[in-house]
Amino acid sequence: MLSSSNYMIAKSSLSRATAAPTLSVLSSASGIPHGSSSLLRDHGDGNFHKQQKRSFLGIVHAIDKRVYRWAKGVLPPISKTENIALGCGTIGFDRDIFGGSPSLQKLIDTYQPKLSPEEESFLANQVTRLCSLLSDHDVVTKKDFTKEAWDYMRDEKFFGMKIPKEWGGLGFSTQAVSAVLAKLATQCFDANATVAVPNSLGPGELLVRYGTPEQKEYFLPRLANGTL
């Protein structure tokens, strides 16, 4: 059995033995010549810690570059269509947030979250009527809406709230769409999601902003009335 002192000597030797190959690997990754004593030299004035920090940052930088090159080789290239999509879109208050200088006063001055009389009427009448046609329990158990509910959503253009009126939609604001979705969620969350998708993730608003005249003429009326 090892004595306490012999155990400590053996542990110290083992630590040095395992540290040597580790330092060798890290040195090669950070560009420090193998066997260099500059990494371990303590000048007594804090230079040792500074050298440690610079060496660590160099290691991280080297690893980052290697990981980036590996990921770049694994990921598929961006297609022409994806490049076009990345170039589209607009920037709003999110620019100020990620720029580190958001101004609530600017937000208040720029955006006025008010519903128009038409939007208020839709919320009070059509949305209330749709809620009366929905039973969250029945939708969950039957995994579908009733035909009456589907027809009502199509006829009242719930799927075309963000599409302008000239293309058959309602031309509602984002604030109005948000209010409609919030009210539907109080009655049936599946209805909330069903109406939300074509008015957010769906292609309607993208086609309005960036579609060709031919694309708008064909797709927008069909999206507005729920045909597509």
Side-chain angles (χ1 to χ4, degrees):
M1 181 180 293
L2 288 174
S3 66
S4 177
S5 59
N6 289 337
Y7 171 76
M8 295 303 296
I9 293 172
K11 182 179 180 182
S12 176
S13 300
L14 179 61
S15 298
R16 287 196 296 271
T18 55
T22 303
L23 286 174
S24 176
V25 172
L26 296 180
S27 296
S28 63
S30 61
I32 300 173
H34 178 53
S36 173
S37 61
S38 61
L39 180 64
L40 302 177
R41 189 184 302 119
D42 188 351
H43 297 285
D45 56 0
N47 287 337
F48 172 68
H49 298 291
K50 293 178 182 178
Q51 290 172 355
Q52 274 191 324
K53 184 176 181 180
R54 287 196 298 268
S55 301
F56 177 74
L57 293 176
I59 293 168
V60 172
H61 180 65
I63 293 173
D64 285 347
K65 289 196 298 184
R66 284 166 171 76
V67 171
Y68 174 76
R69 287 197 295 267
W70 172 82
K72 190 176 180 181
V74 172
L75 295 175
I78 297 178
S79 68
K80 181 179 178 180
T81 303
E82 290 169 331
N83 267 318
I84 294 173
L86 289 172
C88 296
T90 55
I91 300 174
F93 187 65
D94 50 344
R95 173 182 54 190
D96 298 331
I97 295 175
F98 287 102
S101 59
S103 169
L104 292 179
Q105 187 58 49
K106 180 181 178 182
L107 184 64
I108 294 172
D109 294 340
T110 304
Y111 303 97
Q112 297 182 354
K114 294 182 179 180
L115 299 181
S116 68
E118 182 182 4
E119 292 169 343
E120 289 180 347
S121 175
F122 188 86
L123 191 64
N125 296 289
Q126 282 90 334
V127 180
T128 301
R129 170 60 179 160
L130 178 58
C131 286
S132 70
L133 299 176
L134 299 169
S135 168
D136 195 47
H137 176 269
D138 290 345
V139 172
V140 171
T141 54
K142 298 178 181 178
K143 304 185 187 305
D144 200 358
F145 304 116
T146 63
K147 183 179 184 303
E148 185 180 8
W150 276 117
D151 290 342
Y152 189 79
M153 285 189 282
R154 293 190 183 98
D155 293 341
E156 296 300 329
K157 302 179 181 179
F158 275 83
F159 304 129
M161 290 189 288
K162 293 287 290 181
I163 296 175
K165 292 181 179 180
E166 57 264 34
W167 297 111
L170 296 176
F172 282 178
S173 64
T174 302
Q175 176 71 15
V177 174
S178 178
V180 170
L181 296 178
K183 188 167 183 175
L184 287 177
T186 64
Q187 179 68 20
C188 177
F189 192 76
D190 287 288
N192 166 284
T194 301
V195 174
V197 169
N199 289 288
S200 56
L201 301 176
E205 191 173 6
L206 289 174
L207 285 169
V208 170
R209 291 177 179 269
Y210 311 109
T212 65
E214 293 77 14
Q215 288 173 331
K216 293 178 181 179
E217 184 176 357
Y218 180 81
F219 287 105
L220 290 179
R222 292 169 173 79
L223 289 169
N225 63 23
T227 304
L228 292 178

